[in-house]
Amino acid sequence: MQVQVLTLFPDMFPGPLQSSIVGRAMAGGLLELGVVDIRDHAHDNYRSVDDYQFGGGAGMVMKPEPVFEATEAAMAKLGSDAPVVLTSPQGRRLDQGMVYELAQMPALVIICGHYQGVDERVAEHLATHVVSIGDYVLSGGELPAMVLVEALCRLLPGAVGSSNSVEGDSITTGLLQHPLYTRPSIYRDWSVPDVLLSGNHAEIERWRRRQSLLRTFRNRPDLLQSAPLQPSDVAFLHANGYVKE
Ligand SMILES: C[S@@+](CC[C@H](N)C(=O)[O-])C[C@H]1O[C@@H](n2cnc3c(N)ncnc32)[C@H](O)[C@@H]1O
């Protein structure tokens, strides 16, 4: 997958993306990350990329011309059908479904906003997706871009080894994952649940499924509305106080 990130702060990249799974995916050629300095597409000698907002008000707004032209230059490299993601707290909230959808694409452009945000014509006429990483406001779109790249990278075939398998992950399965334990079996008087040491795989699977259901019910009951549940799951949840809305 090829990703071009457009930013006013190219020095922030690759940053944390050079480590771990994303770093290996880049080294192995699974992921190609290009970083474009939006300022290189400014039109004046001052390399201006922002201006006062029409109508008055505090804060600067990123000008449309450098963003459009930087994006068009990126798309000339990637192909004109590459999706263009504008990062914004006003966007659709990023979830695993959107990550799956974008991971199918061979190429992607991500625009990082700054200041008060980006001239609205970018959202209206350039971006194919406006994406928020959650209901809080950051100063720039660089960390959201990194979050998106990291989430996408986990889904690239071959990026994640079996020691870090993605199939059983929380959300991916529709539920939260069961609790995980490793050695030692007793740490500071706290024991690992006996069933995990029993060697009885059917019992272990049953326990894991039930733990997964219980923690989803307690922490993220909203997920149960669309989770793929068996009749036995529903019966177990009902016995533990869950009532489907
Ligand atoms: C300070 S924010 C602008 C917020 C804008 N004034 C508003 O109220 O919607 C500056 C930039 O940070 C990025 N940003 C901030 N919070 C974000 C979030 N939750 N998800 C994605 N991008 C975010 C966007 O690129 C945004 O253009």
Side-chain angles (χ1 to χ4, degrees), residues 87-90 113-117 131-134 136-141 144:
T87 55
S88 167
Q90 302 182 21
H114 224 82
Y115 313 119
Q116 274 299 316
V131 175
S132 164
I133 62 159
Y136 43 84
V137 179
L138 303 168
S139 300

Side-chain angles (χ1 to χ4, degrees), residues 17-41:
L17 297 178
Q18 71 198 315
S19 307
S20 186
I21 286 170
V22 187
R24 282 201 301 275
M26 289 197 287
L30 287 176
L31 176 72
E32 224 174 89
L33 182 70
V35 181
V36 177
D37 187 344
I38 296 173
R39 237 174 249 287
D40 289 343
H41 296 265

